[in-house]
Amino acid sequence: MARTLTLAGEDAPDNGAAPTLEQLRTRIAGMQDGVPRVPVPTHPAIADLLQLRTGGAYQVDRPSLGMALLGAASREGAWSAVVGAGDFGVEAAAELGVDLTRTILVPDPGDQWLEATAALVDVVSVVLLRPPAGVTARTAGKIAARLRKRSSVLVVWGEWPGVEARLSVLESSWSGAEEGHGRLRARKVVLGVQHGTAPQRRAELWFPSPDQTMVRIEPASVGRASFVEEVTA
């Protein structure tokens, strides 16, 4: 069971220089303020779009994406925390790989949300935060410095200045209910991932898939499935 605490209150040009530019970007991403930025386990369905690194903050537009980011690290033994999300679904989180026995929940930190987040950054690997509206760049900068010092990762459900990447669900459609009857079993989404001012990259996913996980939809596999249907029809 999760532990709960209550507190008061531009892509590289298509030429021979591309490999060199990519190598430089990787080296820069791996160092910040002289502190090594170590890769953190990232969900395999989106690993080609996003690589979490210690010292970084990442923004999501819904809690399920935050759970998926927590889950990959949690499966590898990392401790995590969730701050300010009173409606956080622990069952859904567990299905996405979050180990609840190594998860600290602070559902209602009130005015102490910043102190709670800073304290948890000191002791866990990944923190999922739902912040209040209107967080300033100065406040975000304080947490950023803490993240680098403690080699932690911050996933923010909501607006946050200076994040390294923003993940958002651009399109969504459910399957399972036929003519208004039955149970919704899976949802197909188009996920957008944007790093700074670079062009947004997109991918189709089953999220959740019928087994309640995140699965990449590859165009080639869709084509093969259609071909099989036509042959067997």
Side-chain angles (χ1 to χ4, degrees):
M1 180 178 295
R3 293 156 172 79
T4 303
L5 302 181
T6 302
L7 302 183
E10 172 161 297
D11 289 344
D14 187 15
N15 54 39
T20 301
L21 289 174
E22 287 302 322
Q23 291 169 9
L24 288 173
R25 287 174 177 168
T26 301
R27 292 184 63 183
I28 292 171
M31 293 289 292
Q32 189 167 326
D33 295 345
V35 180
R37 302 198 54 212
V38 181
V40 174
T42 306
H43 198 289
I46 59 172
D48 62 326
L49 304 178
L50 175 73
Q51 173 60 68
L52 299 181
R53 290 183 179 272
T54 57
Y58 305 85
Q59 181 177 305
V60 298
D61 69 345
R62 56 195 66 198
S64 55
L65 289 175
M67 294 177 190
L69 295 184
L70 257 65
S74 184
R75 279 192 295 268
E76 298 297 322
W79 276 78
S80 60
V82 182
V83 182
D87 53 352
F88 181 76
V90 293
E91 291 186 5
E95 289 173 343
L96 286 169
V98 178
D99 185 344
L100 300 178
T101 66
R102 292 194 300 269
T103 302
I104 301 172
L105 304 181
V106 187
D108 186 18
D111 293 337
Q112 298 182 34
W113 70 270
L114 183 58
E115 291 80 358
T117 302
L120 288 166
V121 162
D122 285 351
V123 297
V124 304
S125 299
V126 188
V127 176
L128 173 61
L129 167 68
R130 187 178 190 181
V135 175
T136 65
R138 182 178 181 180
T139 297
K142 292 179 179 179
I143 294 296
R146 199 107 175 195
L147 290 169
R148 294 192 295 269
K149 182 178 180 180
R150 298 298 185 181
S151 296
S152 300
V153 174
L154 180 67
V155 179
V156 184
W157 172 21
E159 295 296 322
W160 190 263
V163 295
E164 298 193 8
R166 292 175 169 84
L167 288 74
S168 55
V169 174
L170 307 176
E171 299 176 19
S172 175
S173 61
W174 285 91
S175 63
E178 303 295 338
E179 299 182 356
H181 301 282
R183 184 171 67 89
L184 295 174
R185 295 191 300 271
R187 181 179 62 167
K188 182 185 292 186
V189 304
V190 175
L191 177 69
V193 180
Q194 185 158 17
H195 297 261
T197 59
Q200 187 182 67
R201 301 179 65 188
R202 301 185 178 194
E204 273 195 315
L205 306 166
W206 285 114
F207 186 46
S209 64
D211 62 357
Q212 302 303 301
T213 60
M214 180 190 286
V215 179
R216 185 71 165 263
I217 301 175
E218 300 294 348
S221 64
V222 173
R224 286 195 298 270
S226 300
F227 176 76
V228 171
E229 290 176 0
E230 292 174 2
V231 170
T232 56

